[in-house]
Amino acid sequence: MRLPSFSQTAADAPPAAEGTRPSRRQMLAQGAALAMLCSPLAHAAPPTAAPAGHAPRAAGAGAARVATSLRIVIPANAGGGWDQTGRALGAALVASGAAERVEYENVGGKGGTIGLAQFAERHGKDPDALLIGGMVMVGAVALQKPAVNMSHVQPIARLTSDYLVVAVPADSPIRNAKDLVAALRSDLAHQSFAGGSAGGVDHMFAGLLTRAAKAAPEQLVYKPFPGGAQVVEALLKGDARMGVSGYSEFSEALASGKLRAIGVSSRRSLFGLPSFREQGLDADMANWRAVFTGKQVSAARAQALLGAVEQATQHESWQRALRQNRWEPSWQAGRDFSGFLELEHTTASVMTYLLKLKS
């Protein structure tokens, strides 16, 4: 069995020939050999995302209201990618007529696992509650192994993919991937990374870069922060040498010249930035974000919520948020999304082990 790379979307180029990227393939193949991969998906074809080209819909056009008031629980602090996603989705649910109003609740900490546990306890039966989550939460669960995991919520749909940017302060001597590799090889213990929660996609990508640079990932110094704003602050204060976050969370500091981008985690250049793969490093990864509901919510109600979310993502309000934040639409629902989640959990467990990630 060959595991796919993380959440590749149509924006990526076709995979390189097998002989051109042995380290990543071998790394995942080694994980498979560690008897971690007993998933029933092992002999199934990887799920594919549905076409993302929804036509924008005017407010109220064909709208089916599912609730007067919906609650969106965002298991992160304000200002980060999940917060941006949750509030953009809520605005689109209202604009599309699916709900009259949406209330938001931020519960940050530990890669979303604190908010996940609270959501499962308080809203497991709530037909009007939604939870934002994604790859960061999958990684946090793999690292922390909490009592409440993602099997305690019900998947609705995957919404977006986002690529990671590695940035440094403007006065850093690191200007490109070659400089980054040299720094990691020569003095990894003093080349600290700042990023999102421990075990999340930022942490995994920092480990992947370290391994691609042929440095020892167990010596990686990773400093987790609750959101992109705090990562930027840590870089500007000198509390970390380099940072990993989504482009939307770095964009203002990059535009102002306070930070300099070294590369992006897509396979090809994106946002006007070169990819690490184009700079000779075997490292690419995509983040994704999704929406869930309570485990005890009925199948009929979950289907109605799915319809409301899909309706919202067709609305111009959501399409505008995609453009503004440079998110890739990555719609997936139903059995395909459930299968995708199972495979991502397996992959995250393998990556956490092989990259020797620690909290």
Side-chain angles (χ1 to χ4, degrees), residues 162-167 194-196 202 227-229 231 243-250:
D162 191 13
Y163 292 94
L164 305 170
V165 172
V166 174
D202 298 350
V231 173
V244 186
S245 195
Y247 178 81
S248 61
E249 296 173 71
F250 275 162

Side-chain angles (χ1 to χ4, degrees), residues 166 168 173-188 191 193 208-216 242 262 276 279-283:
V166 174
V168 296
I174 299 173
R175 308 193 68 84
N176 50 44
K178 183 179 179 180
D179 294 341
L180 176 65
V181 168
L184 295 179
R185 286 182 181 175
S186 65
D187 193 14
L188 179 58
Q191 301 299 326
F193 282 86
L208 193 62
L209 280 175
T210 302
R211 188 181 177 103
K214 296 181 170 55
M242 56 201 79
I262 302 303
F276 284 100
Q279 298 181 75
L281 276 178
D282 184 21

Side-chain angles (χ1 to χ4, degrees), residues 205-262:
F205 191 63
L208 193 62
L209 280 175
T210 302
R211 188 181 177 103
K214 296 181 170 55
E218 64 271 16
Q219 296 177 14
L220 171 69
V221 178
Y222 183 82
K223 298 181 177 182
F225 291 89
Q230 290 77 22
V231 173
V232 172
E233 184 179 359
L235 292 173
L236 297 180
K237 285 183 174 181
D239 294 337
R241 296 291 182 90
M242 56 201 79
V244 186
S245 195
Y247 178 81
S248 61
E249 296 173 71
F250 275 162
S251 58
E252 186 175 331
L254 292 172
S256 68
K258 294 178 180 178
L259 297 181
R260 178 172 60 251
I262 302 303

